[in-house]
Amino acid sequence: MRVLVALVALVAVAVAAAGPARADPSPDDGRLDWPLRPRPAVVRTFDAPTPKWQRGHRGVDLAATAGQPVYAAQAGTVVFAGDLAGRPLVSIAHPGGLRTSYEPVSPSVRSGQLVHTGTVVGEVVAGHAGCARAACLHWGAMWGPASRADYVDPLGLLAGTPVRLLPLRP
């Protein structure tokens, strides 16, 4: 019971500190924007492995076309742009410890470059393994250092995803 009371108090403090709710959250409030325009279909969903070193799908695959521009989902610093294990990839570090990755993407940015939300970071390359279409963008999100990263579903971090507290059941 004490834990529940403490949790409710923490949520109340966080809500009060955040100020009034906005009707439509934007990427400026820490949420992500879609990396493709228009909003793409999700071809394959996030499937976190348990434990985290086992097989799984550590991101989402979005329907795309070869040559389609890929946009930074949030402002940050490009930490990698090039080939990794034979696949072209872009990775961006965002404030607060979040990193997003985009593959297969032929980069138009370089490591160390600052990007804003919506900056074109490259183009989709056809042939993503495991994709049911001719071209897909594999979009990943992770918290923490690369060696101990906790992968999260990027769809849950989108600006258009409402956050709701569910009632507790006795």
Side-chain angles (χ1 to χ4, degrees):
M1 185 64 168
R2 287 182 187 176
V3 173
L4 178 59
V5 171
L7 179 61
V8 170
L10 268 173
V11 169
V13 168
V15 168
R22 294 187 337 197
D24 64 3
S26 71
D28 294 338
D29 65 6
R31 308 302 300 269
L32 299 181
D33 200 1
W34 286 96
L36 297 175
R37 313 261 192 303
R39 179 181 171 171
V42 176
V43 176
R44 187 173 175 200
T45 59
F46 181 78
D47 180 21
T50 304
K52 69 181 183 179
W53 61 82
Q54 291 198 358
R55 297 181 77 173
H57 192 240
R58 294 167 176 86
V60 295
D61 289 345
L62 305 175
T65 58
Q68 184 173 357
V70 177
Y71 303 92
Q74 190 183 63
T77 303
V78 177
V79 291
F80 186 85
D83 281 354
L84 182 67
R87 298 181 315 251
L89 173 108
V90 173
S91 181
I92 301 172
H94 307 283
L98 178 70
R99 266 181 301 132
T100 54
S101 61
Y102 313 80
E103 70 165 288
V105 172
S106 176
S108 61
V109 292
R110 65 188 183 295
S111 292
Q113 182 175 338
L114 298 176
V115 294
H116 299 285
T117 303
T119 298
V120 174
V121 297
E123 295 180 347
V124 174
V125 175
H128 175 57
C131 177
R133 304 215 176 176
C136 280
L137 173 69
H138 177 83
W139 183 34
M142 62 216 81
W143 293 103
S147 61
R148 296 187 319 262
D150 288 319
Y151 289 85
V152 294
D153 185 350
L155 298 180
L157 301 174
L158 285 166
T161 303
V163 177
R164 291 180 173 57
L165 294 177
L166 298 175
L168 295 174
R169 294 193 175 136

